[in-house]
Amino acid sequence: MLEVLKEQVVAVAKEADRLGMCKHKSGNFSIYDPETGYAVITPSGVSRDVLTAKHICVMDLDGKVIERQEDLKPSSEAMMHLYIYKERKDIRAIVHTHARYSTAFSIMNKPIMPIVYECAYLGKTGTVPVAPYGRAGTVDLAEKVAEVMKEYDCCLMESHGAIAADKDMDAAFLKAQYVEEIAEMYYITLAGAGGAEPKALPPEELEKWAYPKEILL
């Protein structure tokens, strides 16, 4: 069932592991299929080097497991994914990582501000806010993250990690990578400036980008 989507989830999970964004079985990945009403999601406790499509679980948005390998369970943080899908009808894929720099900002409970133009890819304000602390795997955390994600495509989870969502898995993963890269730039800038905040780009500036009319196609 949903084999193509399962393969997409596996490919991104492996690449995120290769990039160091979710080591040691951490993080989780999912895709929602509106035709069936089901989400495919990574399992709990399976190393990325052995992960295949047969390990990917299928759930409905109420949390019922539709398909799984007998000895496996969906990610313990599956409810967080399902709550976001129910809250955001435009979202089709979710990437949750524990990458170093973005996780460091989550530990500091510090939003990532739009300090470079690439922040425009992260959503209308370019800011990555922090969802209040909730214990991993709980409905409490799922509710808190889904509430923040009503208005944002990316957020940090206090003392936990980062989450990014979009219309497909490639777009969601690209956002997750931008979150980590911008967090690294921000961290280096803060360290170099002795903790002084750099100038943030206002949302209206991020919205002004357009392909240059001087280029004659």
Side-chain angles (χ1 to χ4, degrees), residues 59 61-63 75-84 138-139 142:
M59 306 177 70
L61 294 190
D62 293 322
S75 167
S76 61
E77 296 182 317
M79 297 310 294
M80 180 172 66
H81 292 244
L82 303 183
Y83 271 58
I84 294 171
T138 62
V139 169

Side-chain angles (χ1 to χ4, degrees), residues 102-113:
S102 48
T103 299
F105 277 91
S106 81
I107 293 168
M108 293 186 287
N109 195 17
K110 182 175 179 56
I112 298 171
M113 303 306 294

Side-chain angles (χ1 to χ4, degrees), residues 30-41:
S30 72
I31 299 175
Y32 174 64
D33 176 51
E35 291 187 10
T36 59
Y38 297 154
V40 297
I41 188 165

Side-chain angles (χ1 to χ4, degrees), residues 66-157:
I66 305 300
E67 181 180 278
R68 68 182 176 104
Q69 190 171 295
E70 184 176 353
D71 59 336
L72 295 178
K73 298 176 182 179
S75 167
S76 61
E77 296 182 317
M79 297 310 294
M80 180 172 66
H81 292 244
L82 303 183
Y83 271 58
I84 294 171
Y85 289 131
K86 287 193 284 187
E87 193 64 58
R88 290 280 303 274
K89 304 304 181 185
D90 58 320
I91 292 300
R92 296 288 181 270
I94 295 170
V95 170
H96 165 43
T97 68
H98 291 184
R100 287 187 182 92
Y101 288 93
S102 48
T103 299
F105 277 91
S106 81
I107 293 168
M108 293 186 287
N109 195 17
K110 182 175 179 56
I112 298 171
M113 303 306 294
I115 56 168
V116 291
Y117 211 87
E118 285 81 359
C119 292
Y121 289 103
L122 305 182
K124 56 187 177 182
T125 70
T127 299
V128 183
V130 185
Y133 177 79
R135 191 180 313 117
T138 62
V139 169
D140 175 52
L141 177 61
E143 290 175 340
K144 288 173 176 174
V145 172
E147 180 66 25
V148 173
M149 295 288 280
K150 282 182 180 180
E151 302 294 334
Y152 295 87
D153 293 344
C154 306
C155 80
L156 305 178
M157 292 168 281

Side-chain angles (χ1 to χ4, degrees), residues 12-70:
V12 168
K14 287 179 176 291
E15 181 63 7
D17 183 81
R18 186 188 72 81
L19 294 173
M21 297 177 71
C22 51
K23 293 185 175 182
H24 315 303
K25 306 178 184 178
S26 68
N28 30 80
F29 307 80
S30 72
I31 299 175
Y32 174 64
D33 176 51
E35 291 187 10
T36 59
Y38 297 154
V40 297
I41 188 165
T42 44
S44 177
V46 176
S47 178
R48 302 287 147 69
D49 59 346
V50 300
L51 185 70
T52 67
K54 71 180 181 180
H55 298 118
I56 303 300
C57 303
V58 181
M59 306 177 70
D60 67 20
L61 294 190
D62 293 322
K64 180 181 179 181
V65 178
I66 305 300
E67 181 180 278
R68 68 182 176 104
Q69 190 171 295
E70 184 176 353

